[in-house]
Amino acid sequence: MKSAYKVFFIVCLLFTSALFAQKARVKGILLDESQKPIENATIKADSETVTSNANGFFLITIPSEKKVTIEITHVGYKKSSVTLELKPNEDYELNVVLNPNSEQIGEVIVSSTGRKRVEGITTIEPQVIRTIPGANAGVENILKTLPGVYSNNELSTQYAVRGGNYDENLVYVNEIEVYRPFLIRSGQQEGLSFTNTEMVSNVDFSAGGFQSKYGDKLSSVLDITYRRPTKFQAALDASLLGGSATVDLVSKNQKWTNITGVRYRNNSLLVNSQETESNFRPSFADIQTQLTFDASTKWQWSFLGNVSQNKYHYEPLSRQTNFGTVSDPIALQIFYDGQEKDEYLTLFGAIKSVYQANENFKLKFIGSTYHTQEQEYFDILAQYRLGEIDTNIGSDTFGDVVFSRGVGSQLTHARNNLDALIVNAEVKGFHDIPKKNTQLEWGFKYTREDIRDRLVEWEVVDSAGFSLPNPVIDIPNDQPYNPYYGPLSPYKNVRATNFIKINRFSGYGQWNYRGSLGNNQIWVNAGARFHQWQVSGASTEGKSQIVFSPRAQFAIKPNWEKDMVFRLSGGLYHQPPFYRELRDYDGVVQPNVKAQQSIHVVLSNDYSFKLWDRPFKLISEAYYKNLTDVNTYTIDNVRIRYRANNDAVAYVYGADFRLNGEFVPGTESWLSFGYLQTEENQNDRGYIARPTDQRLKFGLLFQDYMPTIPNLKMYLNLVYNTGLPGGSPSYADPYQYQLRLNDYRRADAGFSYVFKDATLTSNRNWLKHFKEFAIGLEIYNLFNNQNAITNTWVRDVYTKSQYGIPNYMTTRTFNVKLNVRL
């Protein structure tokens, strides 16, 4: 009890000192002569230094009741300065236009961009995210063009990085970890990504070798920051797939700000282009808000909230898939009866407080709650016919099935419900030691997960009039030649009820150093994480487990004429199991599943140069992962099913290359290429390809405009991936099924006519109230490629063979889009 009083006293003391701090605040926006925001400018006043963000916005505190000179500098612009004398707690708005500097110097590694460069962070501009077309446009759509990032499903926002799966990626918004729904098994059920692209100010991505301050996952980190409004504005986007509206609000004294976005999406346009004819009634909607309040010059509070509801109502009608060869064409015809009703309601709220004790010490307090209620109900009867196609052009039945090789039916049933509550409490500290070019950072986090899950799934398969029993039951069955005397059981039958609680404690500490080695600049980061957890439930009790993860980075910028940075990073990475990783094939929770472990090493080179007198950058990376205690899995569309037994070891190695720059003056484009190989060894049976063993990847993001008509802009998003292992029939041994799907080829193109924006003005009266106004046409799957996500396995009653029938994704689709900014 005394400890509680001490904590309360300290908090009150800090709060009181913040209220009576004799400080004032200066904020504003930096622009160039073309009224474009200037990012990464340095603003220095007294002993404090800050940098402007992607919107040109900055905020700096200065001593009150004394004359203070504010200096603004940036590479490529002339220095600007102003002297102010403000009252205590006064807010002063200072907007500055910087003039170009005739001298250009090389990049300074201590800038914000330089820090990300040595950390191996890829930064994506918000404007690129909003303009590049895609069936699921947004942050994840852009990530899929980066090297090392793989996805074969345009209807999904999920992605795999360097041999990992969808569950191995960390996602943060404003330093707050965000989660996905648990039960989603198909990309078309996802609807909306958590990230609202209209609210984004900064996107950082690391594909591996990341620092200790990030959490416990094996593959990647996506770190998103929402912008803080500086004035009132509104945005409206509308298309045939849905729309969004965003409003920025700022109080008169600039202490309160709010940004709120509402989104709605309907995937009917895309789903109706697939082979399966259906009555599809989706409804994906969310509302997201960010509220900030400056209590004083030292203390800032913010709230991030999100309410999302996905209603996926699906009634398949029929399907025909043609496959085989030219000489032996085969068709699969399916007629459906029944429907699927899935609903996902998620509530998310987070409070974040930042206390700047002094110029060298800062504390952050973060608390968040995530609640999801999910249901997955379906009863679907599929009656199929596998047959040969009439290839006689003059025949009246040309293209029809004229001879059946097999007929049968499949009845699938599910009544799955899940209710999950996840609560987090976290504190972080930051200590700057300017004289030693050093920063110390630490943090502690408590997480409680309370999950209630009921799983009821069964499947009955009838082939040529004979019900197929569960193959796990070891009783001979050679129907129709001999009668079957085994038990009557569904082909698949999964029933489980899990009431699980997981308590987690984690923390980290890391040291950053910037200095020199001879005439070369160096940057060092070293740190470690710990993570302790225990699984408990009504009928199960797991043991307490703990892991430690040391990590380090070293970067050097040689004193060469060429602008290069070399980086070596890596460490020991762990992934303590989340709920889905604890649930085995039968739906039963295994409470003592170990954390997967990976020794990860990344070697990279960053080369900045000029081509055609324009800036370019080539990034090359080679990586290797050695994994132990691997929790093996299979992937069906986007659903991952784990074996939950840590019975394998694995490895991943590969290389990634990315060239980005102004291929067209004034626009950013890039080319990316990646190669990887990943294999696993289960119970010493030998190495086989993992489900994410996608060997080659090529990505292109290209922006262009017509020089004679600068209002007309073009965007191209192109991805090529070699085929993934195509999965196997239910209960099959993966060592006997190593077939691969066909290569994934996808091109999305967008054409936009900009009537008005920050660089293009208009004299038309009806446009005077708009800051931006554009109308666009988007073409998804430009070349109408047939891409498969999984296989449906069908039996031939005559040959007793099983055919893997590709489940194709979307075909060519057109979309019209409207973008408005007020």
Side-chain angles (χ1 to χ4, degrees):
M1 196 68 178
K2 291 182 179 179
S3 299
Y5 281 121
K6 289 180 180 179
V7 173
F8 178 74
F9 175 75
I10 293 173
V11 172
C12 292
L13 182 63
L14 292 174
F15 184 74
T16 304
S17 65
L19 289 177
F20 292 96
Q22 297 300 305
K23 294 281 188 177
R25 189 171 59 174
V26 179
K27 63 176 70 174
I29 298 176
L30 305 180
L31 302 173
D32 61 15
E33 290 184 325
S34 302
Q35 299 300 301
K36 293 182 179 179
I38 299 175
E39 184 182 7
N40 294 325
T42 300
I43 301 93
K44 185 175 181 180
D46 199 50
S47 59
E48 185 166 356
T49 302
V50 299
T51 57
S52 57
N53 65 14
N55 299 314
F57 177 78
F58 71 92
L59 187 150
I60 189 170
T61 57
I62 64 173
S64 60
E65 297 182 331
K66 64 177 283 191
K67 290 185 177 181
V68 178
T69 299
I70 300 175
E71 293 185 348
I72 303 172
T73 58
H74 188 281
V75 175
Y77 294 92
K78 293 181 181 179
K79 183 173 71 173
S80 178
S81 62
V82 63
T83 301
L84 300 173
E85 184 175 355
L86 304 179
K87 298 178 182 179
N89 288 325
E90 181 180 353
D91 283 310
Y92 186 87
E93 185 173 347
L94 177 66
N95 299 319
V96 179
V97 176
L98 298 182
N99 296 317
N101 195 341
S102 57
E103 280 190 29
Q104 299 287 333
I105 63 175
E107 180 183 17
V108 182
I109 202 168
V110 298
S111 68
S112 175
T113 303
R115 285 196 298 271
K116 294 176 182 178
R117 185 180 181 188
V118 297
E119 292 173 9
I121 298 293
T122 299
T123 301
I124 304 173
E125 295 295 331
Q127 186 61 26
V128 174
I129 297 170
R130 288 192 286 265
T131 55
I132 298 301
N136 253 315
V139 175
E140 295 85 356
N141 179 51
I142 303 301
L143 291 183
K144 294 174 184 179
T145 66
L146 298 179
V149 183
Y150 296 82
S151 176
N152 280 23
N153 192 338
E154 60 267 16
L155 294 176
S156 172
T157 59
Q158 303 194 51
Y159 51 90
V161 179
R162 291 181 176 173
N165 66 33
Y166 308 136
D167 291 338
E168 296 180 10
N169 306 307
L170 284 163
V171 180
Y172 293 98
V173 174
N174 294 349
E175 299 182 85
I176 303 159
E177 186 173 358
V178 298
Y179 304 89
R180 296 177 182 272
F182 291 74
L183 295 183
I184 286 177
R185 65 174 68 202
S186 172
Q188 64 192 41
Q189 298 170 1
E190 290 187 30
L192 296 165
S193 164
F194 180 92
T195 308
N196 188 327
T197 56
E198 289 295 333
M199 300 171 65
V200 169
S201 70
N202 190 67
V203 176
D204 293 336
F205 179 75
S206 173
F210 44 85
Q211 299 176 10
S212 299
K213 67 179 179 180
Y214 296 114
D216 297 289
K217 296 283 188 180
L218 294 181
S219 293
S220 73
V221 173
L222 176 61
D223 191 5
I224 298 168
T225 304
Y226 279 176
R227 58 187 169 83
R228 177 171 176 161
T230 57
K231 57 184 177 180
F232 171 80
Q233 63 180 18
L236 174 67
D237 295 328
S239 75
L240 300 179
L241 289 170
S244 67
T246 310
V247 177
D248 293 10
L249 300 173
V250 181
S251 65
K252 289 184 178 180
N253 61 5
Q254 302 249 332
K255 288 192 173 184
W256 292 88
T257 70
N258 174 256
I259 178 172
T260 299
V262 179
R263 295 181 296 172
Y264 172 80
R265 182 176 176 87
N266 186 321
N267 277 345
S268 297
L269 181 69
L270 297 171
V271 175
N272 289 337
S273 72
Q274 294 179 300
E275 287 185 324
T276 302
E277 295 185 12
S278 63
N279 291 324
F280 184 61
R281 300 183 301 277
S283 176
F284 307 128
D286 82 340
I287 180 171
Q288 200 163 146
T289 186
Q290 176 184 258
L291 179 68
T292 64
F293 169 61
D294 293 328
S296 70
T297 54
K298 289 192 173 185
W299 207 316
Q300 182 189 85
W301 295 80
S302 64
F303 169 78
L304 177 64
N306 179 70
V307 179
S308 175
Q309 185 172 47
N310 290 7
K311 291 185 178 181
Y312 177 81
H313 295 176
Y314 179 66
E315 184 180 353
L317 301 176
S318 64
R319 164 187 170 182
Q320 177 168 332
T321 301
N322 298 328
F323 64 105
T325 63
V326 175
S327 60
D328 185 22
I330 305 174
L332 173 70
Q333 288 183 321
I334 305 178
F335 300 94
Y336 296 95
D337 191 14
Q339 62 180 330
E340 179 175 355
K341 289 188 176 182
D342 303 332
E343 295 187 4
Y344 313 90
L345 174 64
T346 60
L347 307 173
F348 176 84
I351 295 177
K352 178 180 175 182
S353 179
V354 180
Y355 177 69
Q356 187 77 47
N358 55 56
E359 62 183 13
N360 296 323
F361 176 49
K362 179 167 59 179
L363 285 171
K364 294 182 180 180
F365 305 92
I366 302 173
S368 66
T369 300
Y370 175 81
H371 185 205
T372 179
Q373 293 178 317
E374 306 174 23
Q375 74 169 38
E376 186 181 40
Y377 293 175
F378 58 79
D379 289 282
I380 296 179
L381 173 64
Q383 297 175 309
Y384 69 86
R385 180 187 181 193
L386 182 68
E388 299 177 2
I389 299 176
D390 185 357
T391 57
N392 186 354
I393 298 178
S395 173
D396 294 335
T397 59
F398 174 72
D400 296 337
V401 176
V402 294
F403 178 76
S404 295
R405 291 188 177 184
V407 294
S409 61
Q410 178 187 45
L411 176 61
T412 56
H413 166 92
R415 292 293 184 272
N416 300 329
N417 291 89
L418 183 140
D419 190 307
L421 179 66
I422 303 175
V423 179
N424 294 286
E426 185 176 10
V427 59
K428 294 181 178 181
F430 304 83
H431 307 262
D432 289 319
I433 309 175
K435 293 182 179 180
K436 296 184 178 181
N437 295 326
T438 297
Q439 182 188 61
L440 300 177
E441 184 178 343
W442 53 267
F444 295 97
K445 182 178 181 180
Y446 168 70
T447 302
R448 181 175 175 83
E449 301 164 11
D450 189 347
I451 298 169
R452 302 186 176 197
D453 179 23
R454 186 194 70 169
L455 184 65
V456 179
E457 287 185 27
W458 52 259
E459 177 183 349
V460 176
V461 178
D462 183 293
S463 179
F466 298 93
S467 179
L468 299 180
N470 190 316
V472 175
I473 301 175
D474 190 17
I475 297 178
N477 177 21
D478 59 350
Q479 296 182 86
Y481 305 105
N482 293 296
Y484 174 68
Y485 294 103
L488 295 176
S489 61
Y491 184 70
K492 287 196 299 185
N493 188 17
V494 179
R495 297 174 183 267
T497 300
N498 302 307
F499 288 0
I500 298 298
K501 293 180 176 61
I502 308 174
N503 290 297
R504 303 180 188 270
F505 291 91
S506 61
Y508 74 94
Q510 68 179 38
W511 166 72
N512 300 322
Y513 171 75
R514 172 179 53 85
S516 59
L517 183 63
N519 294 325
N520 307 312
Q521 293 177 306
I522 64 170
W523 187 90
V524 182
N525 169 272
R529 293 188 61 82
F530 78 90
H531 192 125
Q532 183 274 334
W533 75 99
Q534 185 172 13
V535 180
S536 61
S539 58
T540 184
E541 188 73 23
K543 61 183 180 181
S544 175
Q545 301 185 62
I546 187 169
V547 292
F548 293 91
S549 303
R551 306 173 187 176
Q553 295 179 330
F554 174 79
I556 181 169
K557 186 177 189 298
N559 185 26
W560 295 348
E561 182 178 347
K562 293 184 177 181
D563 185 3
M564 285 193 176
V565 173
F566 296 90
R567 182 173 61 92
L568 176 65
S569 63
L572 185 61
Y573 291 78
H574 289 93
Q575 181 162 320
F578 202 47
Y579 175 71
R580 289 207 306 183
E581 297 164 75
L582 296 170
R583 201 172 70 175
D584 64 15
Y585 274 13
D586 295 324
V588 179
V589 168
Q590 304 297 328
N592 293 319
V593 173
K594 298 178 183 178
Q596 300 183 84
Q597 178 177 288
S598 172
I599 299 175
H600 193 176
V601 180
V602 182
L603 178 64
S604 67
N605 170 256
D606 183 322
Y607 175 35
S608 296
F609 59 97
K610 284 196 172 183
L611 185 65
W612 306 309
D613 202 29
R614 297 194 292 271
F616 282 82
K617 181 181 291 187
L618 174 64
I619 300 174
S620 308
E621 291 193 330
Y623 57 89
Y624 175 78
K625 301 180 187 179
N626 181 34
L627 296 97
T628 55
D629 293 325
V630 173
N631 192 349
T632 54
Y633 59 88
T634 60
I635 298 178
D636 179 11
N637 205 304
V638 299
R639 183 174 70 159
I640 300 176
R641 298 180 62 197
Y642 291 91
R643 292 183 176 87
N645 55 12
N646 299 112
D647 67 343
V649 295
Y651 69 84
V652 185
Y653 68 84
D656 291 332
F657 304 91
R658 177 171 176 253
L659 175 65
N660 73 299
E662 295 186 15
F663 291 91
V664 176
T667 65
E668 182 184 17
S669 302
W670 62 71
L671 296 165
S672 61
F673 172 78
Y675 170 83
L676 77 82
Q677 180 173 338
T678 177
E679 293 184 328
E680 63 188 17
N681 183 353
Q682 301 178 22
N683 292 320
D684 293 325
R685 298 178 62 190
Y687 282 93
I688 59 172
R690 304 189 78 195
T692 53
D693 183 37
Q694 196 148 30
R695 297 296 174 87
L696 296 177
K697 186 260 176 66
F698 175 80
L700 168 67
L701 186 146
F702 185 73
Q703 302 185 73
D704 197 2
Y705 60 88
M706 294 185 64
T708 57
I709 313 177
N711 299 65
L712 184 60
K713 301 179 183 294
M714 187 276 287
Y715 312 96
L716 179 64
N717 179 2
L718 186 148
V719 174
Y720 168 81
N721 298 326
T722 53
L724 283 166
S728 58
S730 299
Y731 301 108
D733 184 351
Y735 277 80
Q736 298 179 6
Y737 284 85
Q738 285 293 293
L739 302 175
R740 288 183 179 266
L741 298 170
N742 292 331
D743 296 350
Y744 180 85
R745 297 163 295 168
R746 177 88 183 181
D748 298 323
F751 304 89
S752 178
Y753 188 86
V754 180
F755 291 88
K756 184 180 180 182
D757 66 6
T759 59
L760 297 171
T761 59
S762 176
N763 296 323
R764 302 176 185 180
N765 290 332
W766 65 276
L767 289 172
K768 64 181 180 180
H769 299 296
F770 299 101
K771 294 180 181 177
E772 296 182 23
F773 193 100
I775 296 177
L777 170 67
E778 295 180 337
I779 307 174
Y780 307 137
N781 198 358
L782 180 64
F783 303 114
N784 202 28
N785 294 311
Q786 281 192 314
N787 295 309
I789 183 62
T790 54
N791 282 329
T792 295
W793 295 89
V794 177
R795 295 171 179 268
D796 183 338
V797 70
Y798 295 101
T799 65
K800 295 191 178 295
S801 300
Q802 291 196 72
Y803 290 91
I805 316 300
N807 295 315
Y808 291 117
M809 301 298 293
T810 59
T811 58
R812 185 188 295 118
T813 309
F814 296 86
N815 185 33
V816 179
K817 193 173 183 180
L818 171 69
N819 303 103
V820 175
R821 305 287 182 273
L822 300 176

Coordinates of all heavy atoms in Angstrom, one line a residue, residues 36 91 178 218 239 320 376 401 459 486 595:
K36 N 5.2 23.6 -51.2 CA 5.3 22.2 -50.8 C 5.9 22.1 -49.4 O 6.9 22.9 -49.1 CB 6.1 21.4 -51.8 CG 5.5 21.3 -53.2 CD 6.4 20.4 -54.1 CE 5.7 20.2 -55.5 NZ 6.6 19.4 -56.3
D91 N 1.3 29.9 -26.8 CA 1.5 29.2 -28.1 C 1.6 30.2 -29.2 O 0.8 31.1 -29.4 CB 0.2 28.3 -28.4 CG 0.3 27.0 -27.6 OD1 1.3 26.4 -27.6 OD2 -0.7 26.7 -27.0
V178 N -1.3 -3.2 -32.9 CA -2.7 -3.5 -33.3 C -2.8 -4.9 -33.8 O -1.8 -5.6 -34.1 CB -3.1 -2.5 -34.5 CG1 -3.1 -1.1 -34.0 CG2 -2.2 -2.7 -35.7
L218 N 9.1 -12.8 -35.5 CA 10.2 -13.3 -36.2 C 10.6 -12.6 -37.5 O 11.7 -12.7 -38.0 CB 10.0 -14.8 -36.5 CG 10.0 -15.8 -35.4 CD1 9.8 -17.2 -35.9 CD2 11.2 -15.7 -34.5
S239 N -15.4 5.5 -54.6 CA -15.2 4.6 -55.8 C -16.3 3.6 -55.8 O -17.2 3.5 -54.9 CB -13.8 4.0 -55.8 OG -13.8 3.0 -54.8
Q320 N -17.6 -23.3 -62.6 CA -17.0 -24.2 -63.6 C -15.6 -23.8 -63.8 O -15.3 -22.6 -64.1 CB -17.7 -24.2 -64.9 CG -17.0 -25.2 -65.9 CD -17.8 -25.5 -67.2 OE1 -19.0 -25.5 -67.1 NE2 -17.1 -25.7 -68.3
E376 N -18.6 -17.3 -37.1 CA -18.4 -17.9 -38.5 C -19.4 -19.1 -38.6 O -19.2 -20.2 -38.1 CB -16.9 -18.5 -38.6 CG -16.5 -19.0 -39.9 CD -15.1 -19.5 -40.0 OE1 -14.7 -20.1 -39.0 OE2 -14.4 -19.2 -41.0
V401 N -19.5 -30.5 -70.7 CA -19.0 -31.8 -70.2 C -19.8 -32.9 -70.8 O -21.1 -32.9 -70.7 CB -19.1 -31.8 -68.7 CG1 -18.7 -33.2 -68.1 CG2 -18.2 -30.7 -68.1
E459 N -17.2 -31.9 -41.9 CA -17.3 -32.0 -43.3 C -17.6 -33.5 -43.7 O -16.9 -34.4 -43.2 CB -16.0 -31.6 -44.0 CG -15.9 -31.7 -45.5 CD -14.6 -31.4 -46.1 OE1 -13.8 -30.8 -45.3 OE2 -14.4 -31.7 -47.3
G486 N -16.4 -50.0 -40.5 CA -15.9 -49.1 -39.5 C -17.0 -48.1 -39.0 O -18.2 -48.2 -39.5
A595 N 8.3 -20.9 -27.6 CA 8.5 -19.8 -28.5 C 9.4 -20.3 -29.6 O 10.4 -20.9 -29.4 CB 9.1 -18.6 -27.8

